Amino acid sequence: MANKIIIYILVASMIAQPAQGWLLTVGLGALGFVAGPIVAPIALGAAGFGAGGIAAGSAAASMMASYGGSVAAGSALAIAQSAGAAGIGLAGQVAVGAAGAAIGATLEKSNRKEDNCH
C-alpha cells in the first residue's frame, strides 16, 4: 500500500509542478513521507504523550486541563493520547507520511516562488 501512495505522490508532483524544480519537490515530498512517521512519535513524547499516559506538567497535561477532564472520543487530544500510549498504527503512519510529503513539497514550492521574486 505504501508503494502505491509513493507512486501517487510522485505522479501528482510531476503533474502539479512545472518541469523546472519538480525533482526537488518530489525529493522533499518523499523525505517528508519517510520522516513524518519517525518524527511524529518523538513529537508526541516531547509534548507529554507517553506509554504511561500523559506526563504531569507537560503541554499534554495543559491540553487535558483545557478539556476540563472530559475528553470526547475521536477528539484531537484522544487521538494523540492513544498514539502516545499505543504507538501510531499503519494507517496513522501513512496519514502522517502524506502530511509530511505535502509539507515538504509545499515548502519547496514556496521557496521557489520567493527565489523568483528576487
Side-chain angles (χ1 to χ4, degrees):
M1 180 166 161
N3 292 338
K4 286 183 181 180
I5 292 171
I6 291 172
I7 291 169
Y8 293 146
I9 291 170
L10 292 173
V11 170
S13 294
M14 286 187 277
I15 292 170
Q17 302 295 325
Q20 177 186 357
W22 72 267
L23 187 58
L24 183 58
T25 301
V26 171
L28 286 175
L31 178 65
F33 187 80
V34 172
I38 296 168
V39 172
I42 295 168
L44 284 171
F49 296 102
I54 293 178
S58 66
S62 295
M63 289 190 299
M64 179 70 131
S66 73
Y67 275 80
S70 178
V71 178
S75 67
L77 183 63
I79 292 168
Q81 187 174 4
S82 174
I88 300 173
L90 180 60
Q93 289 179 8
V94 170
V96 169
I103 290 168
T106 301
L107 286 175
E108 191 284 325
K109 189 174 181 182
S110 68
N111 278 342
R112 196 165 6 121
K113 283 182 181 177
E114 288 175 10
D115 290 343
N116 289 338
C117 290
H118 298 297

